[in-house]
Amino acid sequence: MAKELELWTRARRIDAAVVKAFVDFAAGDGAGKEALRADLRADLHDFAVGLAGGSEPGPVERELIETASLCWFWLRLAEFQVSAGDHQGVTLHQSEHAEKRVERAHRRLLATLRTLAQVRKLGVPTIQVNVANQQVNLAGTS
């Protein structure tokens, strides 16, 4: 049991390091960026809380929510870089590369959200009832 707890603790530290790296990259270097870093961390947190929907997610759902939050953050960053590049005179090749990054980030986000929806659907019991020879499926809440 101690070994599993150690692995879990190490994984949590890695997750925190990834979030820090994303936020630091997005905020850029220089003094006076702490307020921006705090805002970016808050945006990530708010997105994750919104995905959780007020419930306490299980471990798989929690990991998917965290992954989706990072994918969302990376997509927004890529979109920002494309829009900033449009005003900085980038070459056509650079612009196409940036657009491909946005498309890949968007696909990753959608795939993660789709998986999250499937996990949630699997976790909700469904009851089948036959009333007057008509089949009715009721989705319950746990």
Side-chain angles (χ1 to χ4, degrees):
M1 183 69 163
K3 186 169 184 147
E4 288 85 3
L5 182 59
E6 178 187 341
L7 288 173
W8 179 254
T9 303
R10 189 176 302 156
R12 298 280 53 149
R13 277 191 230 125
I14 290 170
D15 288 348
V18 169
V19 169
K20 182 182 181 325
F22 271 37
V23 168
D24 288 349
F25 178 77
D29 296 328
K33 300 285 186 165
E34 277 312 307
L36 177 57
R37 285 185 181 92
D39 287 345
L40 294 173
R41 282 190 296 272
D43 288 346
L44 263 169
H45 179 263
D46 291 347
F47 187 80
V49 167
L51 282 178
S55 65
E56 182 60 36
V60 173
E61 193 175 347
R62 186 180 313 116
E63 286 300 318
L64 287 168
I65 289 170
E66 289 176 9
T67 300
S69 298
L70 291 174
C71 289
W72 170 82
F73 186 81
W74 194 253
L75 173 62
R76 294 297 168 251
L77 180 59
E79 289 175 333
F80 172 76
Q81 290 171 336
V82 165
S83 66
D86 288 344
H87 305 294
Q88 294 179 357
V90 298
T91 67
L92 180 61
H93 178 73
Q94 290 170 324
S95 177
E96 288 173 348
H97 178 72
E99 285 292 338
K100 286 179 184 177
R101 281 189 24 222
V102 169
E103 290 171 14
R104 286 190 305 265
H106 191 243
R107 278 197 306 269
R108 281 191 301 270
L109 174 60
L110 289 178
T112 305
L113 292 174
R114 193 172 17 257
T115 303
L116 178 60
Q118 289 171 340
V119 165
R120 285 179 171 166
K121 186 175 181 180
L122 290 173
V124 176
T126 302
I127 301 170
Q128 187 179 71
V129 179
N130 290 319
V131 178
N133 293 328
Q134 286 189 320
Q135 178 178 323
V136 179
N137 294 320
L138 303 171
T141 58
S142 50

